[in-house]
Amino acid sequence: MSQAELVLAESTLADGSTSQIVFVHDAKVNAVDLEQLCVRVGWPARPLNKVTTALRNSFVVCALVLRISRPRANGDMQMLSESLVGMARATSDRAINATIWDVLVDPEFQGQGLGRALVEQLVRSLLRRDINNITLFADAKVIDFYQNLGFEADVENIKGMFWVP
């Protein structure tokens, strides 16, 4: 496991294999895997070429990965499977501002604090790079989630603006 990885949860399965939820910083997320996760979360489909471009142009991509492994006879762990169960990314001017996008956790793994850990780790990553103006867009149903993580709506009465063709 690299320094850019952090085990958030681990358990032993009935067959003796090990299940881990791993936070991966600067993850290489496949657009197909991301869109499959989006479907499981209930988000609308997006064109794969645009998702690929969005991932490539992101400043930071963080992922939650489910890893199933089992011990070999020599004690090393053999990876049996790895799947994307959560992701968040940020775009940035690389100096002052960053915006967080696409925060999602597979419904099967929600309610375990994984989304919170994902956002906290992403924010820490941005702060370590001296980027302190961190914004995001949130549906009304998740505003409380983000407020509990320190985000505020309409700070100093500043409103987000959208160009609508």
Side-chain angles (χ1 to χ4, degrees), residues 92-135:
S92 177
D93 60 16
R94 301 175 182 265
I96 299 167
N97 303 294
T99 300
I100 296 174
W101 304 95
D102 296 339
V103 178
L104 64 166
V105 174
D106 188 312
E108 183 179 336
F109 297 91
Q110 290 177 7
Q112 302 176 42
L114 297 173
R116 177 181 197 82
L118 183 61
V119 174
E120 286 175 342
Q121 290 295 326
L122 179 53
V123 167
R124 284 186 190 129
S125 171
L126 295 167
L127 293 173
R128 280 193 303 272
R129 296 170 190 206
D130 201 28
I131 296 172
N132 297 307
N133 187 23
I134 303 169
T135 60

Side-chain angles (χ1 to χ4, degrees), residues 41-44 103 136-147 153:
V41 171
W43 289 10
V103 178
L136 58 78
F137 295 92
D139 292 336
K141 64 185 175 190
V142 292
I143 288 174
D144 287 345
F145 170 78
Y146 289 112
Q147 285 178 329

